[in-house]
Amino acid sequence: MSMLILGMVLLLIGLIAFQWFRSRRLLKQRLYNALELIGSIKKIISYTQKHRGLTASYLQGNQSVRNELLALKQQISGIADPLKHNDMLKREERWESYQDHWSRLKGNAESLTVASSFQQHTHLIETLLYLLEDVAENIEFGGEQQATPQIHFLWHEFPKVIEFIGQARAIGVAVATKGESTQIDKVKLGYLYEKINTLSSQSFDRLTLLQAGSSIAQIEQAKQACLTLTKTIREQLINVSKVTLTSQEYFNLASHTMDLCNTVLDNEINAIKHNYR
């Protein structure tokens, strides 16, 4: 009788252990899928930000960017179309909102005013940034937030830093293309200048402490690029009566800054993803 009881106990322990390992495996897969999805949404955000900047230049008369705009639409479709059947996104109203808005904006962006194009692109990107946070909740509820408490800023504050740089790129490109900065332009750029300075400083401090996937050198490089960009905004777009900086020079500078920041962010997210392979 005692052997029978012992056998039943061992069987029960085995079943519990099997269920535990199975649950852990499913959780790891779900978190890995969420991180993969975050990577895809980040790419869509990045391409949409670039589309906003080039559209601003196009609407100011720079016809040479038309082919780049067409290529960007194809790149966005290449990422977004396969996600239409993603199980996580099927439950997200913001994803439906994005698809509806982008389907209209990509067709008429080049016939809008500069202000309207900027406003619609920015609203679209805000929707995607909120969607990014919604998807990231899967990681936080999965225990990663408890293991690394400061990790929340990777999908909250830091993507906003990159977005503020993207907004400054779009406005600055339009300013440089027309060769002058109105008082309204200066107010907008001044606001973004302050936001980039403040939030980037906070984010780089946190990244230095976290340092899960990026080296100190990579973080410092992105930090210095932000400082160079904000200095350029202040000295060549705000504190001048006539803008001599070319739109291509400014677009390249802002894009380089965004690329360095995105690389750091990708490194940190990939470091977390490595835990769930």
Side-chain angles (χ1 to χ4, degrees):
M1 190 68 166
S2 59
M3 291 296 293
L4 178 62
I5 294 174
L6 178 60
M8 292 178 65
V9 169
L10 290 174
L11 177 63
L12 181 60
I13 292 173
L15 287 172
I16 293 172
F18 173 78
Q19 286 295 332
W20 185 85
F21 282 113
R22 183 173 182 274
S23 297
R24 289 294 301 171
R25 187 173 69 251
L26 290 174
L27 176 62
K28 287 179 70 173
Q29 185 61 54
R30 179 169 65 84
L31 298 181
Y32 184 85
N33 291 342
L35 287 160
E36 286 277 282
L37 183 54
I38 284 172
S40 296
I41 295 171
K42 272 187 73 280
K43 287 180 181 177
I44 296 174
I45 291 172
S46 181
Y47 286 140
T48 307
Q49 289 167 331
K50 189 172 183 179
H51 190 271
R52 175 180 55 194
L54 289 177
T55 301
S57 182
Y58 178 85
L59 293 174
Q60 289 289 352
N62 184 4
Q63 299 285 321
S64 67
V65 300
R66 184 169 178 78
N67 288 338
E68 286 185 79
L69 287 170
L70 292 172
L72 279 170
K73 291 173 186 176
Q74 293 176 346
Q75 288 172 312
I76 291 171
S77 294
I79 300 170
D81 288 351
L83 296 180
K84 291 178 181 178
H85 307 293
N86 184 282
D87 289 335
M88 285 187 183
L89 290 181
K90 285 179 182 178
R91 303 188 296 268
E92 298 290 349
E93 290 183 9
R94 288 192 173 102
W95 175 242
E96 291 183 22
S97 176
Y98 158 75
Q99 291 183 94
D100 177 61
H101 193 170
W102 174 241
S103 66
R104 289 179 281 109
L105 181 58
K106 69 181 179 182
N108 68 4
E110 293 158 30
S111 62
L112 298 171
T113 64
V114 175
S116 179
S117 173
F118 178 84
Q119 183 180 38
Q120 290 203 40
H121 276 94
T122 301
H123 178 71
L124 189 65
I125 293 164
E126 285 176 353
T127 299
L128 289 169
L129 287 170
Y130 282 123
L131 178 63
L132 188 74
E133 289 191 54
D134 291 342
V135 173
E137 286 184 355
N138 287 277
I139 295 119
E140 296 189 2
F141 291 153
E144 192 65 40
Q145 173 72 13
Q146 288 74 26
T148 314
Q150 70 271 36
I151 209 170
H152 180 75
F153 89 97
L154 288 177
W155 21 81
H156 185 64
E157 287 90 351
F158 198 44
K160 288 181 180 178
V161 172
I162 300 171
E163 166 55 5
F164 284 132
I165 296 171
Q167 291 182 26
R169 178 174 65 182
I171 295 172
V173 161
V175 166
T177 301
K178 65 184 177 181
E180 62 177 357
S181 183
T182 66
Q183 191 57 39
I184 292 176
D185 292 329
K186 291 180 180 182
V187 169
K188 290 178 179 177
L189 288 169
Y191 168 79
L192 292 170
Y193 167 87
E194 293 294 339
K195 283 291 185 181
I196 296 167
N197 262 343
T198 302
L199 289 180
S200 66
S201 177
Q202 294 171 356
S203 292
F204 289 124
D205 285 346
R206 291 184 179 183
L207 281 163
T208 302
L209 292 173
L210 185 60
Q211 206 187 138
S214 301
S215 66
I216 290 293
Q218 287 175 312
I219 295 170
E220 185 62 26
Q221 191 177 18
K223 180 179 180 179
Q224 289 304 315
C226 285
L227 292 172
T228 299
L229 177 65
T230 52
K231 181 181 178 182
T232 300
I233 291 171
R234 185 184 70 245
E235 295 182 355
Q236 299 194 50
L237 296 179
I238 298 176
N239 295 341
V240 292
S241 55
K242 182 173 177 58
V243 177
T244 58
L245 181 68
T246 70
S247 60
Q248 191 61 56
E249 286 174 328
Y250 179 73
F251 184 85
N252 290 343
L253 174 63
S255 297
H256 178 64
T257 305
M258 294 178 76
D259 288 344
L260 290 175
C261 290
N262 272 314
T263 296
V264 170
L265 182 54
D266 287 341
N267 289 343
E268 299 306 318
I269 291 174
N270 286 333
I272 299 169
K273 191 192 299 185
H274 182 75
N275 296 331
Y276 303 112
R277 290 187 185 278

